[in-house]
Amino acid sequence: MDELDAIQTSLASFTQRLDEVAQNQFDEIRKCSFFDPIPSAALQSIARSTSIKTFKHAEKITTEGDEINAFYVILFGKASVQVRNQEVAVLHSGECIGEAAFFAAEATSRSATVIAEGEVIAAVIRKTDIKSLGGENMTYMDKALMNALFRKLQQANRKIEELLR
C-alpha cells in the first residue's frame, strides 16, 4: 500500500505542476495585446493549443522561403524583419509573424526572415492546431488577426506616406 500511495502522491504532484504551467502560459498570453479581443474563457482553450518558445539574440524565428506551418505572436522582445537580407521592419510585443498560415488554404512560403533582436519570447500556434479551434474560438482568433493585419496595414500606409514626402 505504501508504494501505491507514493505513486498516487507523485502523480497528484505532477498533475498540479502541469496545471500551474498551463496557468502560467495562459497568464503570459493574456498579457499580450494581440489577444485582447479574445475573452478569457475562449483564450483558455486557445492557450492549450499554443506553445511558448524563447529565441536567443540573433536566432532566426522564421526563414524566407520556408513553408509556413505556424504563426508566432511576440509576447516579449523585438525582432527584425528582413527581405533578401534588407531590414524592412521591426516587430514588437503584441505583433504577429506568419499570419498567412491562418488564412491560406494551401501551403504558403514565408516572405521574410525574422531574426530576434535580444531575447524574444513568442506564442507559437501551429497550422494544424488552428484548424482544430473551431466555432466561437475561431471567430475570436479571426478578430485578433484582423486587428493585427489592420495595424500592419496602417504601418505600411505611414511608411508609404514617408517615402512620398
Side-chain angles (χ1 to χ4, degrees), residues 12 23 27 34 41 56 59-60 65-66 79 83 101 116 118 128 133 147 149 163:
Q23 183 61 45
D27 291 343
F34 174 86
K56 297 179 187 107
E59 185 176 354
K60 289 182 180 178
D66 283 359
V83 176
T128 53
L133 287 177
N147 285 342
L149 289 171
L163 293 171

Side-chain angles (χ1 to χ4, degrees), residues 1-15:
M1 269 311 240
D2 289 332
E3 195 173 311
L4 181 59
D5 289 341
I7 291 171
Q8 288 177 330
T9 300
S10 179
L11 183 59
S13 175
F14 180 72
T15 302

Side-chain angles (χ1 to χ4, degrees), residues 95-147:
E95 294 186 275
C96 56
I97 303 162
E99 58 278 1
F102 197 79
F103 296 107
E106 69 281 338
T108 306
S109 61
R110 297 203 180 270
S111 59
T113 297
V114 180
I115 302 170
E117 291 187 359
E119 183 179 75
V120 170
I121 300 171
V124 183
I125 305 173
R126 304 220 168 272
K127 190 171 186 171
T128 53
D129 295 331
I130 291 167
K131 291 178 180 178
S132 69
L133 287 177
E136 199 171 62
N137 292 339
M138 190 72 149
T139 301
Y140 290 126
M141 279 300 292
D142 284 344
K143 185 173 183 178
L145 280 161
M146 295 304 277
N147 285 342

Side-chain angles (χ1 to χ4, degrees), residues 76-93:
F76 171 83
K78 66 180 184 174
S80 170
V81 180
Q82 300 180 3
V83 176
R84 295 185 295 281
N85 297 316
Q86 293 275 57
E87 184 175 87
V88 296
V90 175
L91 300 175
H92 299 87
S93 294

